[in-house]
Amino acid sequence: ISAAAQGLRRVRLRYEAQGEETVRGCDPYGLVYHWDRWYAVGWCHLREDVRVFRLDRVREATLEEATFVRPQDFDSLRFVQDSLATAPWGWSVEVLLETTLEDALRRIPPGSAIVEAAPGGVLVRTSVDRLDWLACRLLTLDCPFVIRQPPELRDELRRLAAHAAAMAEREAPA
């Protein structure tokens, strides 16, 4: 796949995801290593769209004669990070951070969320499977924020605040 990306040649992939195996043509724009996994990103002829492929799910890759033109200024790393941050699973979250875009980008790890300037601050969009985990992470950002969705995240913050208050009242045994 790396040779295909460098040589601008199509590959035929036998790909397995979620128990389904497909065969598809792919014009690989690049390879990305992110969060301990390798990904290929490129045009998928089966889905007729740019897609991300986990390389550990590729069962076979065959170099083809067909060539392609990579879109000018395509950023494979950015595409993979944005795709992972918005993958549809668990809870869809939107939070407005009352800070600058530069500050938010320093505080939020790449690939964990879509971060963009918005009226009143910075809009953060992501998906998570555990709202309790996200409630903790939001507090560690140490900046004011407004939860847009889901409302259940507010409940998790309240629960976390009550737990923190209870822990603050504990004393060491005499």
Side-chain angles (χ1 to χ4, degrees):
I1 297 172
S2 176
Q6 291 175 358
L8 302 175
R9 299 223 352 239
R10 183 171 302 156
V11 290
R12 177 151 307 285
L13 298 179
R14 192 166 55 88
Y15 189 76
E16 185 177 346
Q18 296 148 355
E20 178 188 358
E21 188 173 292
T22 58
V23 176
R24 59 184 77 204
C26 173
D27 299 342
Y29 300 157
L31 297 178
V32 172
Y33 186 74
H34 183 63
W35 287 350
D36 296 327
R37 294 192 191 277
W38 279 100
Y39 299 90
V41 60
W43 183 261
C44 173
H45 290 271
L46 177 65
R47 303 293 186 220
E48 297 184 340
D49 198 3
V50 178
R51 294 294 173 113
V52 174
F53 302 97
R54 274 183 35 186
L55 293 190
D56 62 312
R57 294 179 176 169
V58 174
R59 300 298 171 240
E60 183 179 359
T62 307
L63 192 61
E64 296 189 337
E65 291 300 318
T67 61
F68 65 91
V69 176
R70 182 181 295 115
Q72 189 174 16
D73 298 328
F74 186 83
D75 186 338
S76 294
L77 175 59
R78 183 49 147 200
F79 190 89
V80 168
Q81 289 175 335
D82 289 352
S83 294
L84 295 176
T86 58
W89 56 279
W91 297 91
S92 292
V93 176
E94 281 191 16
V95 176
L96 181 71
L97 302 181
E98 295 175 347
T99 188
T100 65
L101 181 59
E102 180 182 26
D103 183 51
L105 290 172
R106 276 197 314 271
R107 296 171 188 263
I108 298 171
S112 61
I114 301 292
V115 180
E116 54 197 7
V122 177
L123 184 62
V124 176
R125 293 182 292 124
T126 191
S127 294
V128 297
D129 60 346
R130 294 183 44 207
L131 291 177
D132 60 333
W133 175 86
L134 182 61
C136 290
R137 298 295 77 74
L138 283 171
L139 291 177
T140 64
L141 293 177
D142 197 29
C143 70
F145 59 86
V146 176
I147 297 168
R148 290 194 174 172
Q149 69 172 352
E152 292 86 351
L153 181 54
R154 295 176 192 277
D155 297 334
E156 284 300 328
L157 276 169
R158 289 184 193 102
R159 187 197 60 72
L160 180 61
H163 179 70
M167 292 295 108
E169 298 305 317
R170 294 188 66 186
E171 292 189 25

